[in-house]
Amino acid sequence: MVKRTKQQKELLIFLLVTYGGTCLMGISIAVARHIGMDGPASTFYLVFPGMGVALAKMIVERHNPLLPKKFFLCVLVSLGFEILTHLIFLQRWLERIQIVLGVLAFVLLVAVFVSIFLESKASRKAYGLAGNNWKATFLYVGLFLILLTIANVIFTFVTERIVPGTVSQFGAMLEEKARGGLFYLISVAPVVGAYIYATFLEEYGWRYYLQPRLQKKFGLIRGVLLLAVLWEIWHYPSLIHFWVTFDPITSVQVILLRLAVVVSLSVFIGFVYLKTNNIWAAASIHFLYNNFPQIINDFPQIIKFAEWPGNAKESWVLLLVYVVTYIGLFLPFLLTKPFRQPKERDISTEKEPLTEG
């Protein structure tokens, strides 16, 4: 029988939960749509990386006195609840108790965050839950918002020049979303809370857990780039049912655009995490990106609005502008000091690489 170190077993559990859960959710979406029902919520798959870390640590490091058991147990209980409420054959019955389910989900969400602060300071520090370098965190979150705003000014200007009328068509929707942001946060606090929760668990899996391991094995730059590719591929099972509604050329363009954006975003978030060692910084940037009004997110709709024929030159020009802008603004952070002289974090709480049968 192949002997695996505890770290290898832990990584295997993480990958199985992270990718296996997302693949099963993609299948669930496809089956649900085939029988005319709603599939799982679009944010459901985001929690799997954090769930993978929780399950792996609870199994492999269960005897570690610093293990944040309250936090990990709350995370796993919430996963069980989410899975139960997304079982297709229960959907029609669950529709009758939507309010009760919503309240329970919100209670579990609050319990997860409260459990973090019920852990000892040593446990939070050992497992990446403690906040660090808050001054730098706010600085880099502000820098991200500035860069994202610059990108969107460029996107809006170029898109309007190539497709006249785009801003009036899509800009009103984006402006309404931005203007109604505060009302949205107040009126649907549970939904926003769920997004924060999902984003935090996603970053806890990718940035806290997997990034240091990849960088230790492949180097700082190759590690963060490999993480970006793995991160993007992980999205595919939950997105492919959208892409099949596009024509083949548009689907290819969307995949290329997403890859450029995710790699660029991964580099910047990776840079911030190396500088701050604060998972809350990574989660904040990710949350802001997901909820920032961006015309780039309407790329397929812009092509449809322009009524371009398949493989039109203009669509490739637009794609090139979007890609070059993101790469130009965020990829240069690979040249910064953190990617050359890292503060390497100990990725194991074990004193020696014990083996498992």
Side-chain angles (χ1 to χ4, degrees):
M1 183 177 293
V2 177
K3 296 286 186 179
R4 294 191 179 95
T5 66
K6 288 190 130 184
Q7 288 74 32
Q8 289 172 334
K9 183 177 180 181
E10 186 180 276
L11 180 60
L12 180 61
I13 295 171
F14 167 78
L15 293 175
L16 286 174
V17 172
T18 300
Y19 285 93
T22 308
C23 288
L24 288 175
M25 199 199 79
I27 294 172
S28 179
I29 291 174
V31 172
R33 296 204 167 195
H34 180 71
I35 62 178
M37 296 177 62
D38 294 329
S42 59
T43 58
F44 180 37
Y45 75 101
L46 302 179
V47 303
F48 283 115
M51 303 295 183
V53 177
L55 185 60
K57 296 290 186 182
M58 288 290 285
I59 292 174
V60 177
E61 299 182 14
R62 58 187 177 277
H63 299 304
N64 191 326
L66 293 178
L67 188 74
K69 293 181 180 179
K70 302 182 191 71
F71 170 65
F72 286 155
L73 282 173
C74 284
V75 167
L76 294 176
V77 168
S78 68
L79 172 62
F81 176 80
E82 290 287 347
I83 292 175
L84 178 65
T85 57
H86 285 91
L87 291 175
I88 294 175
F89 63 86
L90 292 179
Q91 287 301 300
R92 287 193 171 87
W93 181 79
L94 292 173
E95 286 175 359
R96 305 172 187 173
I97 54 171
Q98 282 296 314
I99 296 178
V100 175
L101 292 176
V103 172
L104 287 175
F106 188 67
V107 169
L108 285 172
L109 183 154
V110 172
V112 169
F113 284 111
V114 170
S115 69
I116 294 175
F117 300 99
L118 293 178
E119 301 291 354
S120 68
K121 185 176 181 180
S123 292
R124 293 200 302 271
K125 184 177 180 180
Y127 285 85
L129 297 170
N132 301 294
N133 302 310
W134 286 106
K135 184 176 180 180
T137 292
F138 288 121
L139 175 66
Y140 290 123
V141 169
L143 174 61
F144 176 72
L145 284 174
I146 292 172
L147 293 175
L148 198 58
T149 300
I150 292 172
N152 280 279
V153 169
I154 295 173
F155 296 154
T156 303
F157 174 78
V158 173
T159 303
E160 181 64 21
R161 292 294 298 269
I162 296 177
V163 192
T166 305
V167 173
S168 60
Q169 178 73 14
F170 296 94
M173 178 184 64
L174 297 177
E175 183 180 348
E176 181 180 353
K177 180 180 178 181
R179 190 171 52 230
L182 180 60
F183 172 77
Y184 180 77
L185 289 175
I186 295 173
S187 61
V188 290
V191 176
V192 176
Y195 272 101
I196 295 173
Y197 166 68
T199 304
F200 173 78
L201 287 183
E202 184 179 355
E203 285 301 317
Y204 191 68
W206 295 117
R207 232 60 57 177
Y208 161 74
Y209 183 77
L210 194 57
Q211 177 174 305
R213 284 158 176 77
L214 292 177
Q215 289 184 316
K216 185 174 182 178
K217 184 172 182 62
F218 299 103
L220 291 169
I221 292 178
R222 284 183 295 176
V224 79
L225 292 176
L226 178 57
L227 176 72
V229 175
L230 293 173
W231 187 24
E232 173 59 3
I233 292 173
W234 167 76
H235 288 85
Y236 287 178
S238 62
L239 296 175
I240 195 168
H241 62 284
F242 289 118
W243 296 342
V244 296
T245 63
F246 307 148
D247 67 80
I249 296 298
T250 302
S251 296
V252 171
Q253 290 174 329
V254 169
I255 291 173
L256 293 174
L257 177 59
R258 279 191 54 88
L259 184 60
V261 170
V262 168
V263 169
S264 302
L265 190 63
S266 186
V267 166
F268 185 79
I269 297 178
F271 158 79
V272 171
Y273 188 63
L274 286 172
K275 288 287 288 184
T276 64
N277 194 30
N278 189 345
I279 195 62
W280 300 97
S284 297
I285 290 172
H286 191 162
F287 177 79
L288 288 171
Y289 170 80
N290 284 347
N291 293 276
F292 194 92
Q294 299 186 83
I295 200 168
I296 189 175
N297 292 332
D298 295 308
F299 180 74
Q301 288 73 27
I302 291 172
I303 293 177
K304 185 177 180 180
F305 171 72
E307 298 181 346
W308 287 327
N311 205 24
K313 181 180 72 174
E314 293 86 350
S315 65
W316 288 103
V317 171
L318 195 61
L319 174 68
L320 182 63
V321 171
Y322 290 168
V323 168
V324 169
T325 300
Y326 254 97
I327 290 177
L329 286 173
F330 295 108
L331 219 58
F333 283 93
L334 280 176
L335 304 177
T336 58
K337 188 176 180 180
F339 286 104
R340 291 181 283 114
Q341 297 179 6
K343 294 180 180 179
E344 186 173 302
R345 172 170 68 81
D346 183 9
I347 61 174
S348 174
T349 51
E350 300 292 332
K351 293 184 178 180
E352 56 185 80
L354 302 178
T355 59
E356 296 285 338

